[in-house]
Amino acid sequence: MTAACRRTALVLAGSRRREADPVARCRGVPHKCLAPAGGVPLLERVLTALAASPHIGTVLVALDEPALRADLPTAQALEAEGRLRALQAAPGLGRSVLDALALAPTPLLVTTADHPLLTPAMLDAFLTQAETTGADIVAGFVAKRRVEACYPSTRRTWLVFRDGAWSGANLFALQSETARAGIAFWQAVEGERKRPWRLARRLGPAFLLAYACRLLTLDQALARAGRRLGIRLAAAKLPMAEAAIDVDKPEDLDLVERILAARTPASV
């Protein structure tokens, strides 16, 4: 893939909490993105996956303290290549995405620093699907049955539809300027991202009823939500259970470390 075909990636690495993050606190670091997983900071693992992907060119990192990148080898290497730019994280995730869109044109990949199991293969699977949809925004999902078959003890936020339950994968492809309308909606509801019922209610009583009665598949729900917002939404359904595992709690980090310990050195 030529450099001209590569897309910019945004890593959301700022804090979502006003109080001290429990993951940072339990690992004795000032910011969650610096919490070690298998001895490597969460953010460093995400940057390593992005740097190795042929789909990714420039990497933007939204940080509470942009100088934090100085302690991360992959960040230093990307910066030396002219491929990394650190941004001041905004108070909300949606605002940080809009700030990035002011600097980088679409298509833009968005992921988070608490996604340490991210791999180039995962990125390839997601972006390959995203490019075929023609949608303005594509979100990554993993089926509950796949996650629980591999990691039955993990606790995720599940979105339940007619075709089963799904977890988000912290991967988003913003593929046109029209995507800004979707980000504006996300700004309004991001505090409710762990409460599917409230999100459904925000899209109107008809959508809430359809969600409550499980009348819609995941694809149908996204299509209907997109029509409500005036954009095209689509799902990329990933086969990797690990794509659904991010680090919100100390027990999530414990699970990530067990998964990393079980991998062969070549796959870490």
Side-chain angles (χ1 to χ4, degrees):
M1 180 176 293
T2 66
C5 295
R6 294 177 179 175
R7 66 178 67 203
T8 299
L10 169 65
V11 183
L12 298 170
S15 175
R16 296 176 181 175
R17 301 170 183 266
R18 294 181 180 177
E19 70 278 7
D21 186 274
V23 174
R25 187 169 58 246
C26 81
R27 290 300 194 267
V29 294
H31 302 277
K32 184 173 81 167
C33 68
L34 299 180
V40 178
L42 299 177
L43 176 56
E44 174 72 5
R45 288 192 176 276
V46 172
L47 291 176
T48 299
L50 293 169
S53 171
H55 295 275
I56 303 302
T58 301
V59 179
L60 306 176
V61 186
L63 291 155
D64 292 327
E65 297 179 35
L68 292 175
R69 69 191 188 281
D71 297 323
L72 303 174
T74 303
Q76 292 176 356
L78 286 169
E79 200 158 26
E81 296 171 11
R83 293 178 58 196
L84 184 136
R85 181 172 180 179
L87 311 177
Q88 179 64 51
L93 299 182
R95 182 70 255 174
S96 288
V97 175
L98 289 174
D99 288 348
L101 284 172
L103 300 172
T106 54
L108 178 72
L109 170 76
V110 180
T111 190
T112 58
D114 60 357
H115 198 350
L117 299 178
L118 187 68
T119 64
M122 202 179 291
L123 289 165
D124 182 70
F126 173 70
L127 291 172
T128 299
Q129 285 191 59
E131 290 169 0
T132 67
T133 64
D136 300 304
I137 299 179
V138 182
F141 291 90
V142 185
K144 180 179 181 180
R145 62 183 181 277
R146 190 175 294 274
V147 177
E148 292 191 336
C150 297
Y151 308 109
S153 65
T154 189
R155 297 176 62 188
R156 303 286 104 197
T157 298
W158 303 111
L159 300 171
V160 183
F161 298 100
R162 197 177 74 204
D163 55 344
W166 301 83
S167 174
N170 281 13
L171 288 168
F172 304 90
L174 312 185
Q175 305 199 117
S176 74
E177 288 301 306
T178 306
R180 291 175 185 272
I183 303 306
F185 174 76
W186 184 248
Q187 275 190 283
V189 303
E190 63 185 58
E192 299 173 354
R193 68 188 185 280
K194 299 292 185 180
R195 301 177 179 89
W197 289 96
R198 293 189 182 182
L199 288 174
R201 187 173 61 190
R202 288 274 192 158
L203 292 166
F207 188 93
L208 176 61
L209 179 62
Y211 180 75
C213 297
R214 300 185 187 179
L215 301 178
L216 304 173
T217 64
L218 171 61
D219 291 331
Q220 290 168 341
L222 289 175
R224 181 176 290 194
R227 288 194 295 272
R228 175 85 175 181
L229 299 174
I231 59 177
R232 294 166 297 170
L233 297 176
K237 299 167 186 175
L238 301 177
M240 306 89 164
E242 295 79 11
I245 298 175
D246 58 5
V247 178
D248 284 332
K249 309 175 291 297
E251 51 265 40
D252 295 331
L253 188 52
D254 293 339
L255 173 59
V256 164
E257 294 199 306
R258 291 196 298 273
I259 294 170
L260 291 171
R263 288 180 174 176
T264 61
S267 64
V268 174

